[in-house]
Amino acid sequence: MAKTRLFILYTGGTIGMGPQNPEVSDSPLIPQSWEQLQRYMHSIHEDGYFSKVKNIEFEYHSFPVLLDSSQLDISHWIQMAKEIEKRYDDFDGFIIIHGTDTMAYTASGLSFIFNNLNKPVVLTGSQLPISHSRTDAITNFSNAIHIAGAKAFGLPPINEVSICFNDRLLRGNRSTKASTNVFEGFVSPDYPPLAELEEAIKVKTRNLMEAPDGAFSINTNLNPNVIILTLFPGFRVEHLQKLIEDDEIDGLIIKTYGSGNAPCTEPFLSCLKQAKKQGTTILFTTQCLQGGVKLGKYAASDVFRPIGVISGGDLTNEAALAKMMWVLGQKSSAAEVEKLLQTNMRGEVTF
Ligand code: ASP
């Protein structure tokens, strides 16, 4: 059987965490070393099942400082992308071990940074540390090995950035963290799973992206001057006005109500007009977990069309943020930005 080579990048997260002070019950959790984590991963040891029976060879790299994923920023997305780029030709698949808090953001970010990705990049983590007697880490991690190492298991390749969690494989830029405590930590409300990992592994080939044409590369030009604003009843336009006046926001994502509805007041409309005039790209997403924005469905969204607000369709807020940063990072014309935001680039949106 031909060798399958998998690269594992450990960035931190609950999966490898332990108490800051082991003497104190309820001591806060902090990330622990790869060596600590690996002690519990018997299946990947050299004489373990994956290596011995499936001829899988593993290589590991650990972030120099392991992080709770709430501490990550876009420089970490770039770091992860570069670690994979360096090894792209030498490995069959990639697993990123990551905290759950911002896993869907990282997966979305990477999906745009990678160009012509033609190998699996699987993010996984867990709700309970691997040392816990009822941990979900072992299942999630070993499922991730099956997906990243598809070749060794006779499975169709899933050459996308995905999240493997609780026996399901979700497209990364369609996922969102939905629970802090149940094992089904992630949902993909507007796109079906890429695979289900029950007794048998069922890869849903019709849900997968088409194979790309060109060579793999990374494009790490991201514009960080993007914010997300959640609307709420009683929202005061003055606060947004101040942000706009500072003129430092290139991309404004507004989490609107329902299918793109927002207050049609004069101050709000003129604030958005001013932002547009200053060159800010405005994208409407929805606060709803499922469904998307349809500007013009209601009068309460139609008024925003003439201003030049762009519909985010059924983008998750994580994907909207990553896409906006990436698109604005390409320094294209306003028309090109608008076109890209309304294009399905990485399977992230259905218009
Ligand atoms: N705070 C943790 C993190 O995101 C939570 C987790 O991994 O489940 O790193």
Side-chain angles (χ1 to χ4, degrees):
M1 186 189 273
K3 193 165 273 189
T4 302
R5 301 199 73 222
L6 297 188
F7 176 68
I8 299 173
L9 177 61
Y10 176 40
T11 68
T14 295
I15 186 167
M17 287 191 186
Q20 193 164 27
N21 182 349
E23 319 274 287
V24 177
S25 66
D26 282 351
S27 169
L29 293 171
I30 53 163
Q32 296 188 334
S33 69
W34 168 252
E35 288 68 33
Q36 286 280 85
L37 175 61
Q38 206 186 0
R39 278 179 37 214
Y40 295 90
M41 295 174 162
H42 304 291
S43 57
I44 62 168
H45 293 171
E46 259 167 38
D47 54 354
Y49 170 76
F50 291 117
S51 304
K52 269 215 142 139
V53 182
K54 292 293 172 184
N55 205 11
I56 299 180
E57 198 175 273
F58 296 94
E59 218 174 282
Y60 325 100
H61 178 77
S62 197
F63 263 15
V65 180
L66 295 163
L67 295 162
D68 184 299
S69 73
S70 57
Q71 310 303 304
L72 299 183
D73 60 37
I74 57 176
S75 71
H76 299 101
W77 300 354
I78 295 173
Q79 208 177 326
M80 291 179 219
K82 288 188 171 162
E83 295 295 349
I84 289 176
E85 184 197 27
K86 266 196 266 179
R87 299 163 173 98
Y88 189 79
D89 292 334
D90 299 333
F91 289 87
D92 297 292
F94 301 85
I95 296 174
I96 302 179
I97 300 180
H98 196 290
T100 60
D101 288 347
T102 64
M103 191 185 287
Y105 287 94
T106 299
S108 298
L110 291 177
S111 76
F112 292 102
I113 290 173
F114 294 145
N115 229 331
N116 295 324
L117 178 69
N118 208 11
K119 293 189 176 181
V121 175
V122 188
L123 282 86
T124 197
S126 62
Q127 298 285 42
L128 286 172
I130 202 161
S131 55
H132 193 286
S133 55
R134 288 190 53 252
T135 189
D136 51 332
I138 304 287
T139 307
N140 291 348
F141 181 63
S142 99
N143 280 343
I145 293 174
H146 284 78
I147 299 299
K151 192 174 101 182
F153 301 94
L155 293 169
I158 304 181
N159 299 333
E160 305 194 14
V161 179
S162 59
I163 290 185
C164 192
F165 220 85
N166 195 41
D167 294 337
R168 287 196 314 159
L169 187 78
L170 308 177
R171 178 168 293 158
N173 58 27
R174 290 288 195 159
S175 308
T176 231
K177 181 170 176 177
S179 174
T180 59
N181 52 7
V182 304
F183 285 163
E184 189 173 349
F186 290 87
V187 292
S188 168
D190 290 307
Y191 199 77
L194 305 181
E196 276 159 10
L197 299 102
E198 308 286 348
E199 189 186 348
I201 299 177
K202 293 184 200 132
V203 176
K204 313 283 181 182
T205 42
R206 66 177 180 283
N207 299 339
L208 307 182
M209 305 250 293
E210 275 177 28
D213 259 346
F216 171 78
S217 62
I218 64 170
N219 179 333
T220 57
N221 298 321
L222 300 170
N223 181 332
N225 298 323
V226 174
I227 59 162
I228 303 191
L229 173 86
T230 305
L231 287 183
F232 53 90
F235 159 75
R236 294 187 58 201
V237 179
E238 300 89 296
H239 298 308
L240 178 60
Q241 190 68 45
K242 286 211 181 89
L243 281 174
I244 302 291
E245 273 159 18
D246 280 349
D247 199 14
E248 275 171 9
I249 296 166
D250 297 322
L252 170 63
I253 298 167
I254 302 186
K255 287 169 72 174
T256 59
Y257 305 120
S259 51
N261 305 313
C264 304
T265 61
E266 213 288 309
F268 187 56
L269 286 163
S270 63
C271 181
L272 295 191
K273 278 184 203 155
Q274 186 193 334
K276 271 301 283 184
K277 219 159 120 201
Q278 287 173 202
T280 306
T281 303
I282 308 172
L283 184 77
F284 275 14
T285 58
T286 178
Q287 301 178 18
C288 295
L289 184 60
Q290 201 248 322
V293 168
K294 251 194 189 156
L295 293 181
K297 179 173 180 191
Y298 294 92
S301 67
D302 199 38
V303 289
F304 297 99
R305 290 206 283 191
I307 298 177
V309 162
I310 301 168
S311 166
D314 62 2
L315 279 175
T316 62
N317 287 293
E318 293 89 333
L321 180 89
K323 188 172 184 177
M324 179 76 102
M325 286 177 164
W326 190 88
V327 168
L328 294 178
Q330 308 315 303
K331 303 211 175 9
S332 325
S333 66
E336 193 57 28
V337 164
E338 184 165 343
K339 196 171 143 212
L340 282 175
L341 285 173
Q342 291 186 312
T343 304
N344 177 18
M345 294 173 59
R346 303 283 197 260
E348 75 281 5
V349 69
T350 316
F351 284 111

